[in-house]
Amino acid sequence: MLPPQEVETLLGDREQAQSKQAAALRGVLSRLGDRLPRVFVVETEYQPHMLEARVAWIRKFREEIGDATISGIEEWQSFHDTGEVPQDWQDIDAQETARDPGRTQAKTPAAAVAAAPTGVSNPGAFRLDQTGLAGSGA
């Protein structure tokens, strides 16, 4: 799991890339719009709208990280500062293990973070790669 500041930086890079891609598609559409019937460019019209929706989501998420208003950011930062899994996350893991006895409880701090349930307060539920933010398989 990356530290909050690094995630914020990488999300900024992703936001710029997605914005550029949307602008490029809009440029293509402006040139094609006069030459082709709309039925042939509808799919291309859809793409910049989806990219812009992603950019809006990324921007909001970056703001939450930068402003430290996203729930769980204190624990997330603490994990990076100390290397220890926050007690709240350990408690969540124990609760999930109690609910699902077949699930093995995490033995190491890194495994505990990876094994914690997916949710808003669990930054370990996501990973940032070159294609963007994706849910982890835990």
Side-chain angles (χ1 to χ4, degrees):
M1 179 170 51
L2 300 172
Q5 299 81 7
E6 189 172 343
V7 170
E8 184 182 9
T9 299
L10 291 170
L11 285 169
D13 295 343
R14 188 66 181 159
E15 182 181 338
Q16 287 181 336
Q18 298 262 307
S19 294
K20 287 178 185 177
Q21 190 176 359
L25 284 168
R26 291 218 181 272
V28 168
L29 284 169
S30 70
R31 289 190 304 272
L32 292 178
D34 296 336
R35 295 187 214 170
L36 296 173
R38 185 164 177 245
V39 71
F40 294 118
V41 294
V42 152
E43 184 65 27
T44 304
E45 283 180 4
Y46 173 80
Q47 292 173 9
H49 289 286
M50 294 300 98
L51 288 166
E52 289 160 355
R54 286 182 192 160
V55 167
W57 186 89
I58 289 168
R59 187 172 295 127
K60 175 71 172 133
F61 186 41
R62 280 185 64 216
E63 286 174 10
E64 288 182 88
I65 294 170
D67 298 343
T69 57
I70 189 167
S71 63
I73 196 160
E74 295 86 9
E75 294 87 353
W76 185 6
Q77 187 62 56
S78 173
F79 175 74
H80 283 282
D81 292 344
T82 66
E84 295 181 22
V85 176
Q87 187 62 48
D88 289 353
W89 292 358
Q90 292 177 38
D91 294 345
I92 291 169
D93 187 52
Q95 290 170 4
E96 289 300 309
T97 300
R99 264 188 261 184
D100 181 5
R103 179 181 177 276
T104 58
Q105 194 165 7
K107 304 281 188 261
T108 65
V113 170
T118 302
V120 175
S121 64
N122 177 13
F126 298 97
R127 72 181 188 291
L128 187 66
D129 60 20
Q130 292 178 344
T131 62
L133 199 61
S136 73

